[in-house]
Amino acid sequence: MKIAMPLHENRISPRFGNAREFLVVTTTDDRDTGRQTLTLDIETPVQIAECLAREGVDLVLSGGMNSKYQREFRLRNIAVIWGLIGEAEDVLATYLNGQVFAGMGPCPPVRNPRRSPGGAKRTDERLAAKKDSRRKPVS
Amino acid sequence: MKTKKETPQGREETTELILDSIADGVFTIDQGMRITTFNKAAEQITGYARREVVGQFCHDIFKADICFKMCPLKHTARTLESIVNMEVNILNRQNQEVPISISTSILKNHKGEVVGAVETFRDLSLIHELRKEISRQYTFQDIVSKSKAIAKLLNILPDVAQSDATVLIWGESGTGKELFATAIHNTSLRKKGPFVAVNCGALPETLLESELFGYKKGAFTDAKRDKPGRFKLAAGGTLFLDEIGDLSKGTQVKLLRVLEQREYEPLGSTSTEKADVRIVAASHQDLASLVQKGEFREDLFYRLNVMKLEIPPLRDRKEDLPLLVDHFFRKFTEKTGKPIRTISKRAMKRLLHYNYPGNVRELENVLEHAFVLCKGTEIKTSHLPENLAASKDRAALQEIGKASRLPELERQVILEALERYGWDRSQAARELGMHRSTLWRKIQRHGIRSP
């Protein structure tokens, strides 16, 4: 399986449409077996989706993504998980651990938050609770 | 406002309370671009909860289109200049684009050192939608409008035109029925054929028949040669029958036959002729009620009523007034050559308050009147016809204002209520919110008598 992530420096680009660099990771049995970085100097959703489809990408792990892009990926049978935040490597590792699902907000857990107010469970605790209930990506 | 009891915690709580009561989204960041405060309005606009976002990078939460290109907060931190009302797009938690207007400012501690920045933002979705709505114009052929009702008509008009179905246009006098009819013709498959218009109300019955169907030489005295009817003239094109409600019953039967059999006989002819026309009929009267009164044939009504287009009167689409005024301005400046450019605010207001029983045609006449009288470059209230000033609503208001007119008004209201309920006094009294005997007394006093 091939997973693509839009990059801003080393982090997942907050906005898919702003990213020109993509990390494409090939995985076998949920293990990272090869990677490459794509730099695309193209603009439209159609072009980007087409290009990633040509690369054989099956899944996009993304931050915010405008519906225009989502539609193009859906048309090409590429699954999308959006709403992810953090270092690309962390997001990938979390996904390969089976812990990422669509629209989940900040992920992976916040490092050194200034304060953890409101008694809300820290994201890592929440994720730990879900460790066994792996969810398949939702397209 | 310092008191002895104030503690740092208490102050923080107060600040939070104040921030949450603001309708604009407010958030602050530290120098590492991580969010430190996030108020309630910000939660509503972005969809993220405060506990999720505090400590996160602001660009990860806001996902604005300008984030790494021209960050307003970085700009403010670098130059110490505030940014006011800059429009940007962000993606909310649900991945929807939200247009917002942002303002930024630098945040200093009590020693005057820069500790971060604050940004306030306002949701512009509604404003954008309204702006789009206002600037939207619907056009089709020569028809220009901003009105929703007209837009609906224009939406179906191409399909209606493409079909060969009979069309019935209903609208008050002066709303532009013929304009719609020509638009239908010009976009139909028959556009290369002729467009022939007949006003059924303008001609007496017998004359109308010979106009429509034509006659043969010798059909009556002085019929010295064949005369082709309008059906023949419109062959291959469209026949527009205006004021169809004025047709006599005899002509209605003949027209019905044409619609059903697609053929007719000219007066005095022994052979039938094929009618290769598309019929567009129009009326300012409500044909359905004419049918009820027995003045219009039911079968003909249903034949005509295949596609019904109802044109709303001008008073129901006042949003079109500026557009129409503009249109007629261009038309009349061209026609008269006068250098009139604008209309004064007061004059425009008066135009907007009038209710136009004569619809667009009346508006056109009002403006033509103004163009004749106007000698400067701006049309003022003094150039408008006098009846506009004494328009109905205004007169009604003035009447209410005068105490001496109150009894008359009361009489009118009671009379209307009684008529509405078929002179059932109990029901009328209930609607008027008075006791039955009070109503009875008032009826006596005003001398109202049932018909």
Side-chain angles (χ1 to χ4, degrees):
Chain A
M1 179 157 107
K2 273 194 174 183
I3 302 171
M5 283 173 280
L7 291 182
H8 175 71
E9 287 158 12
N10 290 323
R11 291 173 69 83
I12 293 268
S13 169
R15 196 182 171 95
F16 187 88
N18 281 1
R20 290 293 165 268
E21 234 181 32
F22 297 84
L23 178 65
V24 180
V25 180
T26 313
T27 62
T28 322
D29 296 334
D30 285 353
R31 271 178 307 114
D32 183 349
T33 54
R35 54 181 62 201
Q36 67 184 114
T37 313
L38 280 179
T39 307
L40 304 181
D41 205 19
I42 43 181
E43 292 291 325
T44 70
V46 179
Q47 287 173 323
I48 288 181
E50 219 145 62
C51 196
L52 293 182
R54 256 203 313 277
E55 289 294 323
V57 168
D58 307 284
L59 169 71
V60 177
L61 296 179
S62 167
M65 186 189 278
N66 188 298
S67 53
K68 287 179 291 190
Y69 292 97
Q70 294 185 46
R71 193 174 53 238
E72 292 308 322
F73 286 128
R74 206 159 42 231
L75 286 174
R76 290 166 181 79
N77 264 332
I78 298 175
V80 173
I81 299 178
W82 51 261
L84 307 175
I85 295 173
E87 301 278 336
E89 292 297 338
D90 290 349
V91 169
L92 180 68
T94 320
Y95 173 75
L96 293 178
N97 266 337
Q99 291 167 335
V100 175
F101 46 92
M104 69 170 300
C107 167
V110 181
R111 288 188 201 147
N112 310 322
R114 308 216 127 223
R115 46 181 193 166
S116 48
K121 275 189 182 172
R122 290 266 304 275
T123 326
D124 46 355
E125 290 168 28
R126 258 199 344 246
L127 285 177
K130 295 208 168 164
K131 200 168 184 177
D132 296 325
S133 58
R134 170 169 186 176
R135 294 215 199 170
K136 287 282 172 210
V138 189
S139 63
Chain B
M1 206 181 72
K2 266 194 174 175
T3 61
K4 276 180 188 171
K5 280 180 189 171
E6 199 175 77
T7 60
Q9 270 169 322
R11 211 184 306 157
E12 205 165 287
E13 258 171 43
T14 321
T15 318
E16 207 158 277
L17 271 175
I18 293 171
L19 285 178
D20 280 349
S21 66
I22 299 174
D24 286 359
V26 180
F27 75 97
T28 58
I29 56 162
D30 60 18
Q31 284 180 299
M33 305 301 284
R34 290 192 189 258
I35 296 173
T36 48
T37 46
F38 201 73
N39 79 341
K40 225 177 210 143
E43 287 185 327
Q44 274 160 7
I45 297 171
T46 61
Y48 285 103
R50 183 178 316 175
R51 60 180 161 76
E52 293 175 299
V53 303
V54 170
Q56 297 280 355
F57 287 116
C58 58
H59 52 247
D60 277 341
I61 299 304
F62 284 90
K63 296 166 271 196
D65 46 359
I66 52 157
C67 268
F68 303 114
K69 294 171 198 160
M70 189 278 163
C71 175
L73 286 169
K74 274 187 186 151
H75 174 86
T76 301
R78 201 174 53 239
T79 62
L80 303 185
E81 277 172 21
S82 295
I83 287 177
V84 180
N85 286 339
M86 178 178 179
E87 289 197 16
V88 304
N89 281 316
I90 61 165
L91 281 172
N92 68 7
R93 194 199 181 119
Q94 285 74 41
N95 244 348
Q96 293 151 336
E97 297 276 359
V98 183
I100 57 171
S101 153
I102 62 173
S103 303
T104 62
S105 171
I106 204 76
L107 215 56
K108 289 179 185 169
N109 66 6
H110 60 278
K111 287 183 205 151
E113 299 159 345
V114 175
V115 292
V118 57
E119 181 171 315
T120 62
F121 56 104
R122 184 170 297 175
D123 190 347
L124 295 180
S125 316
L126 188 66
I127 293 170
H128 273 219
E129 227 152 83
L130 289 175
R131 208 183 283 160
K132 225 196 279 170
E133 206 55 12
I134 289 170
S135 62
R136 185 177 296 162
Q137 262 185 28
Y138 310 101
T139 52
F140 186 82
Q141 294 272 319
D142 294 334
I143 306 162
V144 181
S145 173
K146 281 174 180 287
S147 142
K148 274 256 145 85
I150 298 271
K152 260 193 199 161
L153 287 182
L154 297 186
N155 257 336
I156 58 166
L157 213 53
D159 294 325
V160 172
Q162 287 290 309
S163 78
D164 218 20
T166 305
V167 180
L168 180 62
I169 301 173
W170 184 65
E172 282 180 18
S173 148
T175 45
K177 295 184 286 282
E178 185 155 350
L179 198 63
F180 271 83
T182 41
I184 289 174
H185 172 74
N186 288 338
T187 46
S188 72
L189 301 171
R190 296 170 171 271
K191 64 179 170 216
K192 292 211 173 103
F195 176 83
V196 177
V198 184
N199 189 324
C200 303
L203 299 168
E205 184 185 345
T206 44
L207 211 53
L208 181 65
E209 270 183 41
S210 58
E211 267 306 310
L212 284 177
F213 307 111
Y215 52 76
K216 286 283 172 201
K217 180 180 166 188
F220 45 81
T221 328
D222 247 23
K224 286 185 178 133
R225 67 187 90 133
D226 290 2
K227 179 189 156 71
R230 298 288 170 111
F231 271 99
K232 181 130 195 181
L233 292 174
T238 308
L239 182 64
F240 175 54
L241 299 173
D242 204 356
E243 301 309 350
I244 191 103
D246 291 344
L247 274 188
S248 74
K249 286 220 137 175
T251 322
Q252 285 178 30
V253 181
K254 288 190 178 151
L255 184 61
L256 178 65
R257 190 160 162 247
V258 183
L259 287 172
E260 276 178 349
Q261 318 279 336
R262 292 277 152 195
E263 56 185 33
Y264 64 97
E265 283 139 30
L267 263 70
S269 167
T270 47
S271 58
T272 55
E273 301 214 9
K274 281 263 170 272
D276 174 26
V277 294
R278 193 242 185 112
I279 293 188
V280 177
S283 172
H284 72 280
Q285 307 173 66
D286 184 9
L287 287 188
S289 72
L290 285 184
V291 167
Q292 258 175 12
K293 277 190 242 161
E295 285 166 23
F296 203 81
R297 290 184 63 102
E298 205 177 346
D299 39 12
L300 179 59
F301 172 63
Y302 289 122
R303 271 284 159 193
L304 290 171
N305 200 17
V306 182
M307 283 305 315
K308 188 176 171 191
L309 302 178
E310 198 175 324
I311 309 177
L314 184 56
R315 66 177 166 278
D316 288 349
R317 48 182 179 101
K318 289 264 175 84
E319 61 267 44
D320 275 351
L321 251 157
L323 206 67
L324 289 166
V325 167
D326 218 43
H327 169 78
F328 290 127
F329 254 67
R330 249 175 288 139
K331 180 173 169 185
F332 291 133
T333 39
E334 208 170 281
K335 193 169 146 191
T336 60
K338 284 193 176 180
I340 301 172
R341 296 271 169 273
T342 51
I343 177 161
S344 78
K345 267 192 181 157
R346 279 189 59 201
M348 191 66 201
K349 207 168 162 189
R350 191 167 287 182
L351 285 179
L352 281 167
H353 278 101
Y354 188 58
N355 74 348
Y356 300 95
N359 290 298
V360 184
R361 188 185 293 136
E362 184 172 10
L363 174 68
E364 182 175 2
N365 292 343
V366 164
L367 288 174
E368 188 165 15
H369 177 110
F371 261 75
V372 169
L373 294 185
C374 181
K375 290 202 171 63
T377 57
E378 183 181 69
I379 287 185
K380 298 202 167 68
T381 41
S382 57
H383 303 130
L384 298 175
E386 270 168 27
N387 62 325
L388 244 67
S391 94
K392 216 176 152 191
D393 331 30
R394 245 173 97 149
L397 273 177
Q398 278 166 351
E399 265 178 39
I400 291 169
K402 284 181 202 158
S404 60
R405 305 298 298 255
L406 262 177
E408 177 55 30
L409 211 64
E410 187 181 71
R411 182 176 187 275
Q412 201 56 39
V413 169
I414 289 173
L415 200 64
E416 274 168 22
L418 283 169
E419 276 169 357
R420 217 167 13 251
Y421 289 102
W423 295 84
D424 181 333
R425 282 203 292 264
S426 324
Q427 281 195 39
R430 206 172 304 134
E431 196 208 69
L432 294 167
M434 56 175 77
H435 196 265
R436 208 152 42 92
S437 51
T438 314
L439 178 64
W440 191 79
R441 226 174 26 249
K442 284 185 191 286
I443 289 174
Q444 295 300 308
R445 195 194 315 144
H446 290 301
I448 299 171
R449 249 173 251 140
S450 88

